[in-house]
Amino acid sequence: MAILKVATKEKEKDLIKYKKEHNFTCPILYEDDAAVATAYGVWSRPQTFFINREGKIVGRALKEMDWTLKNMKELIEYLLKEKK
Amino acid sequence: MNRMNLNLKKIWYLILILIFGFLGTRCAAPKEEVKTHPKDYVHALKEINLEKVFNENRGLKVLEENATTVHDYYRGAVQEKEEGEKLTKEIAWEEARKHLEKSNRFFLVVLKYLPEDEAYRNVYGEQAIIFLPNLLVADNNLKLVTVYKNLRNDDRAAEARANGERYLAESLKNVKTEWAYEIKKGFEDAMQKK
């Protein structure tokens, strides 16, 4: 499983500080022109996309979620079990 | 070596979670208002035009079954419109009709929730998009007049013109654009050709 955060129109120094403060290890894609956000049709934040091994979007969350909840864990586990 | 790389790739991409939003996730509200204009300000064609609208809504194709937000429907409507316009230029009238009508169906969903046109709508921090669903329905109908005429369906052509003029008037209530006046002229010309 790979997690990629996309930061659009944020200040680079704020991102570095934020990453350090929260001890994030996942990569952050920094984009100033919102090209990726536009390509994915992201018009509100936060949004989370689940992309399966075939590159297909299989899920999308349109608001802030608590990923530690049981049903969220189950969702991720379900997606990980998905066979090719 | 290639096989190993392939296996690694498979493992790595079991699932990719892409999270948009970072610092701003705690405050999705616009940081500042977009530029405002006096009520009677007429937006020039070089500022607001169809090509710009197409450019702002390209990207992943919005499928009807995946559309969940109003903005999805707006993007989907614009994408269908672009396809319809392309087919119109190729004189593929029947296919063009399907896409332009589908575009209108998508726009009607948008208008149910956001009935007013806005020259610019804040969607992403300071990023704004041209948001003219009424005008785009009017423009679709203008194109549909030609399509229906070529399909020898004069009743539908007349209906499209009447609907188009109604949506054009709605658009002009909130936003004035040179583009809208061009569409208005298009309807007048279409009536004279009758």
Side-chain angles (χ1 to χ4, degrees), chain B residues 53-178:
Chain B
V53 173
F54 285 159
N55 279 334
E56 286 177 350
N57 293 280
R58 284 183 182 131
L60 285 180
K61 184 167 166 58
V62 179
L63 301 174
E64 196 162 6
E65 59 269 32
N66 294 337
T68 48
T69 67
V70 173
H71 287 151
D72 284 343
Y73 277 94
Y74 186 77
R75 274 168 57 83
V78 173
Q79 289 173 359
E80 289 295 333
K81 179 171 174 55
E82 186 172 11
E83 187 61 26
E85 300 252 346
K86 190 177 132 252
L87 290 161
T88 305
K89 282 175 191 151
E90 291 169 8
I91 322 178
W93 304 118
E94 183 54 29
E95 283 306 303
R97 180 192 66 78
K98 286 179 193 165
H99 286 279
L100 291 172
E101 285 181 352
K102 191 172 181 185
S103 172
N104 275 352
R105 283 205 308 278
F106 276 20
F107 277 128
L108 292 185
V109 176
V110 176
L111 288 167
K112 194 174 160 189
Y113 298 96
L114 299 169
E116 291 183 358
D117 283 8
E118 297 169 58
Y120 298 101
R121 183 176 172 81
N122 258 125
V123 290
Y124 209 78
E126 291 166 21
Q127 189 190 333
I129 58 146
I130 297 166
F131 186 76
L132 303 168
N134 285 294
L135 187 71
L136 290 162
V137 172
D139 194 44
N140 274 347
N141 278 298
L142 178 60
K143 310 289 163 56
L144 278 167
V145 170
T146 308
V147 170
Y148 289 136
K149 278 185 178 172
N150 280 285
L151 291 171
R152 301 182 192 288
N153 194 336
D154 287 344
D155 288 348
R156 294 299 301 272
E159 201 181 311
R161 189 172 61 78
N163 280 335
E165 284 177 328
R166 190 160 51 87
Y167 283 101
L168 182 63
E170 275 305 310
S171 177
L172 285 166
K173 275 185 195 169
N174 296 299
V175 185
K176 293 186 174 42
T177 57
E178 282 182 2

Side-chain angles (χ1 to χ4, degrees), chain A residues 2 4 6 39 43 47 49 51, chain B residues 15-20 71 123:
Chain A
L4 175 64
V6 185
W43 282 0
Q47 280 197 32
F49 287 81
I51 301 163
Chain B
I15 181 169
L16 173 67
I17 301 179
L18 203 58
I19 304 170
F20 287 89
H71 287 151
V123 290

Side-chain angles (χ1 to χ4, degrees), chain A residues 13-59:
Chain A
K13 65 176 173 58
D14 290 344
L15 286 178
I16 294 166
K17 193 177 158 208
Y18 193 68
K19 191 176 178 185
K20 204 178 268 180
E21 270 177 18
H22 293 80
N23 206 18
F24 281 133
T25 52
C26 63
I28 299 168
L29 170 69
Y30 168 70
E31 56 161 0
D32 198 32
D33 57 357
V36 178
T38 305
Y40 275 81
V42 175
W43 282 0
S44 66
R45 287 181 290 176
Q47 280 197 32
T48 304
F49 287 81
F50 293 92
I51 301 163
N52 72 6
R53 68 180 91 199
E54 278 146 2
K56 194 177 166 192
I57 296 169
V58 289

Side-chain angles (χ1 to χ4, degrees), chain B residues 16-73:
Chain B
L16 173 67
I17 301 179
L18 203 58
I19 304 170
F20 287 89
F22 206 61
L23 307 174
T25 57
R26 290 158 295 172
C27 178
K31 287 172 190 164
E32 63 181 50
E33 280 299 306
V34 285
K35 49 192 166 185
T36 52
H37 297 91
K39 197 169 168 32
D40 288 331
Y41 180 83
V42 180
H43 297 268
L45 197 58
K46 64 176 181 190
E47 180 200 340
I48 291 183
N49 56 56
L50 189 55
E51 196 47 45
K52 277 195 178 176
V53 173
F54 285 159
N55 279 334
E56 286 177 350
N57 293 280
R58 284 183 182 131
L60 285 180
K61 184 167 166 58
V62 179
L63 301 174
E64 196 162 6
E65 59 269 32
N66 294 337
T68 48
T69 67
V70 173
H71 287 151
D72 284 343
Y73 277 94

